[in-house]
Coordinates of all heavy atoms in Angstrom, one line a residue:
T213 N 40.0 13.9 -21.0 CA 39.3 13.0 -21.9 C 38.1 12.3 -21.3 O 37.1 12.1 -21.9 CB 40.3 11.9 -22.3 OG1 40.9 11.3 -21.2 CG2 41.4 12.5 -23.2
S214 N 38.2 11.9 -20.0 CA 37.1 11.1 -19.4 C 35.8 11.9 -19.3 O 35.8 13.0 -18.7 CB 37.6 10.6 -18.0 OG 38.7 9.8 -18.2
H215 N 34.7 11.3 -19.7 CA 33.4 11.9 -19.6 C 32.3 10.8 -19.8 O 32.6 9.7 -20.2 CB 33.2 13.0 -20.6 CG 33.3 12.6 -22.0 ND1 34.5 12.4 -22.6 CD2 32.3 12.4 -22.9 CE1 34.3 12.1 -23.9 NE2 33.0 12.1 -24.1
V216 N 31.1 11.2 -19.5 CA 30.0 10.4 -19.9 C 29.2 11.1 -21.0 O 28.8 12.2 -20.8 CB 29.1 10.1 -18.7 CG1 27.8 9.4 -19.1 CG2 29.8 9.3 -17.6
L217 N 29.0 10.4 -22.1 CA 28.2 10.9 -23.2 C 26.8 10.4 -23.1 O 26.6 9.2 -23.0 CB 28.8 10.4 -24.5 CG 28.2 10.9 -25.8 CD1 28.4 12.4 -26.0 CD2 28.9 10.2 -27.0
V218 N 25.9 11.3 -23.0 CA 24.4 11.0 -22.9 C 23.9 10.7 -24.3 O 23.9 11.6 -25.1 CB 23.6 12.1 -22.2 CG1 22.2 11.7 -22.0 CG2 24.3 12.4 -20.8
Q219 N 23.4 9.5 -24.5 CA 23.0 9.2 -25.9 C 21.5 9.4 -26.1 O 20.7 8.4 -26.3 CB 23.4 7.7 -26.2 CG 25.0 7.6 -26.2 CD 25.4 6.2 -26.4 OE1 25.0 5.3 -25.6 NE2 26.3 5.9 -27.3
A220 N 21.1 10.6 -25.9 CA 19.7 11.0 -26.1 C 19.7 12.5 -26.5 O 20.6 13.2 -26.2 CB 18.9 10.8 -24.8
Q221 N 18.6 12.9 -27.2 CA 18.4 14.3 -27.6 C 16.9 14.6 -27.6 O 16.1 13.7 -27.8 CB 19.0 14.5 -29.0 CG 20.4 14.3 -29.2 CD 20.9 14.6 -30.6 OE1 20.1 14.6 -31.5 NE2 22.2 14.9 -30.7
P222 N 16.6 15.9 -27.4 CA 15.2 16.2 -27.6 C 14.7 16.1 -29.0 O 15.6 16.2 -29.9 CB 15.1 17.7 -27.1 CG 16.5 18.2 -27.2 CD 17.4 17.0 -27.0
G223 N 13.5 15.8 -29.3 CA 13.0 15.7 -30.6 C 12.9 17.0 -31.4 O 12.8 17.0 -32.6
Q224 N 12.8 18.1 -30.7 CA 12.7 19.4 -31.3 C 13.3 20.5 -30.4 O 13.6 20.2 -29.2 CB 11.2 19.7 -31.5 CG 10.4 19.6 -30.3 CD 8.9 19.5 -30.6 OE1 8.5 18.9 -31.5 NE2 8.1 20.2 -29.7
P225 N 13.5 21.7 -30.9 CA 14.1 22.7 -30.1 C 13.3 23.0 -28.8 O 12.1 22.8 -28.8 CB 14.1 24.0 -31.0 CG 14.2 23.4 -32.4 CD 13.4 22.1 -32.3
L226 N 14.0 23.3 -27.8 CA 13.4 23.5 -26.4 C 13.0 24.9 -26.1 O 13.9 25.8 -26.3 CB 14.3 22.9 -25.4 CG 14.7 21.5 -25.5 CD1 15.7 21.1 -24.4 CD2 13.5 20.6 -25.3
Q227 N 11.8 25.1 -25.7 CA 11.4 26.5 -25.2 C 11.2 26.5 -23.7 O 11.0 27.5 -23.1 CB 10.1 26.9 -25.9 CG 10.4 27.0 -27.4 CD 9.2 27.7 -28.2 OE1 8.8 28.7 -27.8 NE2 8.8 27.1 -29.3
N228 N 11.2 25.3 -23.1 CA 11.2 25.1 -21.7 C 12.1 24.0 -21.3 O 12.2 23.0 -22.1 CB 9.8 24.8 -21.1 CG 8.8 25.8 -21.5 OD1 8.8 26.9 -20.9 ND2 8.0 25.5 -22.5
L229 N 12.8 24.0 -20.2 CA 13.6 22.8 -19.8 C 13.8 22.8 -18.3 O 13.8 23.9 -17.7 CB 14.9 22.7 -20.6 CG 16.0 23.8 -20.4 CD1 16.9 23.5 -19.2 CD2 16.8 24.0 -21.6
T230 N 14.0 21.7 -17.8 CA 14.5 21.5 -16.4 C 15.6 20.5 -16.4 O 15.5 19.4 -17.1 CB 13.4 21.1 -15.4 OG1 12.3 22.0 -15.5 CG2 13.9 21.0 -14.0
L231 N 16.7 20.8 -15.7 CA 17.8 19.8 -15.5 C 18.0 19.6 -14.0 O 18.0 20.5 -13.2 CB 19.1 20.5 -16.1 CG 20.4 19.9 -15.8 CD1 20.5 18.6 -16.4 CD2 21.5 20.8 -16.2
C232 N 18.1 18.3 -13.7 CA 18.4 18.0 -12.3 C 19.6 17.0 -12.2 O 19.7 16.1 -13.1 CB 17.2 17.3 -11.6 SG 15.8 18.4 -11.4
L233 N 20.4 17.1 -11.2 CA 21.4 16.0 -10.9 C 21.9 16.1 -9.5 O 21.7 17.1 -8.8 CB 22.6 16.1 -11.9 CG 23.4 17.4 -12.1 CD1 24.4 17.6 -10.9 CD2 24.1 17.4 -13.4
R234 N 22.6 15.1 -9.0 CA 23.2 15.0 -7.7 C 24.7 14.9 -7.9 O 25.1 14.1 -8.8 CB 22.6 13.8 -6.9 CG 23.1 13.8 -5.5 CD 22.5 12.6 -4.8 NE 21.1 12.7 -4.6 CZ 20.5 13.5 -3.7 NH1 21.2 14.2 -2.8 NH2 19.2 13.5 -3.6
S235 N 25.5 15.6 -7.2 CA 26.9 15.5 -7.3 C 27.6 15.5 -5.9 O 27.0 16.0 -4.9 CB 27.5 16.6 -8.1 OG 27.4 17.9 -7.5
Y236 N 28.8 15.0 -5.9 CA 29.5 14.8 -4.6 C 31.0 15.0 -5.0 O 31.5 14.2 -5.7 CB 29.3 13.5 -4.0 CG 29.9 13.2 -2.7 CD1 29.9 14.2 -1.7 CD2 30.4 12.0 -2.4 CE1 30.5 13.9 -0.4 CE2 31.0 11.7 -1.1 CZ 31.0 12.7 -0.2 OH 31.6 12.5 1.1

């Protein structure tokens, strides 16, 4: 059950994207 919901969305469909994050 536990998660973080990101309350944002792109305004239109994506034809390019980059995702970055740090994890441990």
Side-chain angles (χ1 to χ4, degrees):
T213 52
S214 299
H215 62 282
V216 172
L217 185 62
V218 183
Q219 294 176 308
Q221 296 185 337
Q224 57 196 36
L226 300 174
Q227 300 191 47
N228 301 284
L229 65 90
T230 304
L231 167 67
C232 294
L233 58 78
R234 186 179 294 282
S235 68
Y236 184 40

